[in-house]
């Protein structure tokens, strides 16, 4: 703690303390002990701990997300709803399951929220100002169409556009969803590709909003203006949180994972172009998906059902076929991601979910067919580990490396 104090100028140990969040501080400033209105008090069960007992509210929220992520895959908590996990987390019922993810920086104890501590209330004037500021921040950005893209009725946001007749079962944007039907491929005119910046460089965030989060606050939806008009709606672009009070499971999982890795941006696994991560839906100008395969250096390892998998991302330009196109080396067919919902995450490998030929169904060891070509499985089944009926090798046989595709630049 003394080493951390040295990095702050004018640090007064009598009136200040260091944020004791185990991962890293999102605010980057000491906590004023005389102004504890925006902090959370925690307790370490190591009586000789000297790491402090206060966290910035935003730091605690991000850390709590990571603990909740651990709790989701632990014991009887797997069957709890997200609301039940949140309610039980800091009580004996939930903490006995999650304490292993609550290690303190002292390395000798575990942290838990002090439920008996009540933060001092802020003056009435400060509360009014914060309420007004919060209301302004939560206003939804409006959509403005520019250039040659067909105009959308003015005054409407994306969520208010007239939806097209779209089969929702063609995509699964929930962590708990595990099945679906093969999508109907739809072709459209190729609009001009938007500007995507320099390759292989993760973009730095342009601003840090009031909450201190490392993720950007989306100001408008103009990055989606290049889409065909029939896709500018809440069916094709993830807009609203699904959980109570915005506590959506997918969003919490992604932001806590990226926050723990100190990552505010990712690269597309096809074209390596950078994408900024936003703190609200749509989270990205593309889509995330989880796969057992480590597709690129920007893929982030995550633990799902006690197994190590990888969080990958594909940009909107590659999903629509404007930037890079995947063409199978065996049959020559192109992979189509235009039916995937933008701004969210799929819990299975979206590339393997639609095998184009029987070579995609062969064993990775003996090269014999694992299932017959005429047998259709649900999307998520192609991402599962199964045994080959010929050689009994257990592997993710249907998830092939990108080297089995030609990655071509689109005109």
């Amino acid at each position: 703690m003394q080493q951390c104090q040295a990095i702050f100028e004018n640090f007064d140990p009598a009136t200040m303390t260091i944020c004791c969040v185990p991962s890293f501080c999102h605010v980057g400033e000491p906590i004023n002990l005389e102004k504890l209105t925006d902090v959370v008090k925690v307790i370490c069960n190591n009586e000789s701990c000297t790491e402090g007992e206060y966290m910035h509210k935003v730091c605690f929220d991000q850390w709590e997300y990571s603990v909740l992520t651990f709790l989701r895959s632990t014991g009887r908590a797997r069957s709890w709803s997200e609301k039940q996990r949140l309610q039980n987390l800091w009580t004996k019922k939930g903490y006995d399951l999650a304490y292993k993810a609550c290690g303190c920086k002292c390395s000798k104890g575990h942290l838990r929220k002090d439920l008996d501590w009540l933060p001092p209330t802020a003056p009435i004037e400060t509360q009014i100002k914060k309420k007004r500021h919060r209301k302004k921040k939560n206003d939804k950005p409006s959509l403005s169409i520019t250039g040659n893209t067909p105009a959308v009725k003015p005054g409407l946001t994306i969520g208010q556009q007239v939806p097209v007749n779209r089969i929702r079962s063609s995509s699964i944007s929930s962590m708990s969803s595990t099945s679906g039907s093969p999508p109907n491929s739809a072709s459209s005119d190729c609009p001009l590709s938007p500007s995507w910046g320099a390759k292989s460089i993760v973009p730095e965030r342009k601003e840090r909003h009031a909450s201190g989060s490392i993720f950007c606050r989306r100001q408008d939806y103009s990055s989606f203006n290049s889409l065909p008009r029939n896709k500018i709606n809440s069916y094709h672009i993830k807009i609203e949180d699904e959980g109570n009070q915005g506590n959506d499971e997918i969003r919490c999982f992604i932001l806590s994972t990226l926050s723990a890795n100190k990552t505010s941006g990712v690269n597309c696994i096809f074209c390596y172009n950078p994408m900024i991560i936003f703190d609200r839906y749509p989270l990205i100008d593309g889509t995330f998906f989880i796969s057992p395969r480590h597709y690129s250096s920007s893929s982030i390892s995550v633990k799902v059902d006690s197994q190590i998998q990888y969080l990958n991302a594909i940009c909107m330009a590659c999903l629509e076929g404007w930037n890079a196109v995947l063409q199978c080396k065996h049959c020559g067919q192109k992979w189509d991601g235009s039916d995937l919902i933008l701004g969210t995450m799929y819990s299975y490998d979206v590339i393997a979910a639609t095998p184009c030929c029987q070579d995609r169904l062969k064993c990775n060891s003996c090269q014999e067919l694992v299932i017959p070509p005429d047998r259709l499985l649900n999307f998520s089944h192609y991402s599962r580990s199964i045994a080959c009926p010929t050689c009994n090798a257990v592997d993710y046989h249907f998830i092939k490396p990108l080297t089995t595709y030609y990655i071509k630049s689109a005109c």
Side-chain angles (χ1 to χ4, degrees), residues 210-314:
S211 67
S213 171
I214 66 172
F215 305 106
C216 286
R217 176 63 51 86
R218 190 183 288 274
Q219 301 300 320
D220 55 51
Y221 298 124
S222 59
S223 59
F224 300 104
N225 288 353
S226 300
L227 289 171
R229 183 177 179 179
N230 66 330
K231 290 186 176 182
I232 304 180
N233 53 62
S234 58
Y235 281 76
H236 192 76
I237 304 171
K238 176 69 172 176
I239 301 295
E240 299 293 344
D241 287 353
E242 295 174 355
N244 295 329
Q245 300 178 353
N247 187 23
D248 182 79
E249 187 174 351
I250 298 176
R251 184 174 66 85
C252 294
F253 173 81
I254 293 175
L255 297 186
S256 61
T257 299
L258 295 175
S259 178
N261 285 272
K262 301 181 181 180
T263 301
S264 59
V266 293
N267 295 97
C268 173
I269 62 172
F270 294 167
C271 65
Y272 302 103
N273 280 335
M275 291 177 283
I276 297 173
I277 310 301
F278 297 95
D279 64 345
R280 291 292 185 271
Y281 287 118
L283 297 175
I284 190 176
D285 294 345
T287 194
F288 288 106
F289 70 94
I290 291 180
S291 171
R293 182 169 292 280
H294 187 269
Y295 278 107
S296 73
S297 58
S298 64
S299 301
I300 299 173
S301 63
V302 295
K303 201 168 186 179
V304 180
D305 295 333
S306 302
Q307 294 183 346
I308 298 297
Q309 300 205 23
Y310 298 92
L311 183 66
N312 302 278
I314 307 175

Side-chain angles (χ1 to χ4, degrees), residues 28-252:
E29 297 177 357
I31 294 174
N32 190 335
L33 295 175
E34 298 176 353
K35 299 178 180 179
L36 299 177
T37 56
D38 290 326
V39 302
V40 176
K41 186 178 180 182
V42 295
I43 303 172
C44 179
N45 57 7
N46 174 24
E47 295 181 355
S48 59
C49 177
T50 59
E51 295 296 334
E53 56 183 2
Y54 296 105
M55 293 186 199
H56 296 105
K57 181 66 167 61
V58 63
C59 296
F60 176 82
D61 289 343
Q62 296 284 356
W63 176 65
E64 187 180 49
Y65 287 155
S66 65
V67 179
L68 282 171
T69 302
F70 175 84
L71 185 62
R72 291 187 194 107
S73 60
T74 306
R76 61 181 180 274
R78 293 192 187 99
S79 61
W80 294 351
S81 66
E82 192 65 18
K83 185 177 181 180
Q84 288 175 322
R85 295 189 192 104
L86 192 59
Q87 290 175 340
N88 297 335
L89 177 59
W90 302 117
T91 64
K92 179 175 175 57
K93 185 177 181 180
Y95 186 73
D96 287 347
L97 300 173
Y99 79 94
K100 291 182 180 180
C102 302
C104 179
K105 288 194 294 185
C106 68
S107 302
K108 296 180 180 180
H110 296 87
L111 297 174
R112 70 183 302 168
K113 183 180 181 180
D114 188 350
L115 299 178
D116 297 327
W117 183 75
L118 296 176
T121 56
I124 299 297
E125 296 80 2
T126 305
Q127 293 181 22
I128 294 175
K129 288 181 180 179
K130 284 187 176 182
K131 188 174 181 180
R132 289 175 179 173
H133 182 69
R134 191 181 299 113
K135 183 177 180 181
K136 184 176 180 181
K137 281 285 185 180
N138 290 336
D139 288 343
K140 291 185 181 297
S142 59
L143 174 68
S144 60
I145 302 295
T146 58
N148 297 326
T149 309
V152 176
K153 187 176 180 179
L156 298 180
T157 61
I158 288 183
Q160 296 171 315
Q161 303 304 321
V162 179
V164 295
N165 293 327
R166 174 181 170 84
I167 301 177
R168 293 294 289 172
S169 61
S170 66
S171 58
I172 304 173
S173 60
S174 171
M175 283 286 292
S176 61
S177 299
T178 57
S179 63
S181 303
N184 296 326
S185 59
S187 60
S188 60
D189 294 337
C190 179
L192 294 177
S193 174
S195 175
W196 296 93
K199 291 187 176 181
S200 302
I201 301 176
V202 175
E204 296 182 358
R205 59 187 182 278
K206 295 181 179 179
E207 62 178 25
R208 179 191 291 263
H209 51 77
S211 67
S213 171
I214 66 172
F215 305 106
C216 286
R217 176 63 51 86
R218 190 183 288 274
Q219 301 300 320
D220 55 51
Y221 298 124
S222 59
S223 59
F224 300 104
N225 288 353
S226 300
L227 289 171
R229 183 177 179 179
N230 66 330
K231 290 186 176 182
I232 304 180
N233 53 62
S234 58
Y235 281 76
H236 192 76
I237 304 171
K238 176 69 172 176
I239 301 295
E240 299 293 344
D241 287 353
E242 295 174 355
N244 295 329
Q245 300 178 353
N247 187 23
D248 182 79
E249 187 174 351
I250 298 176
R251 184 174 66 85
C252 294

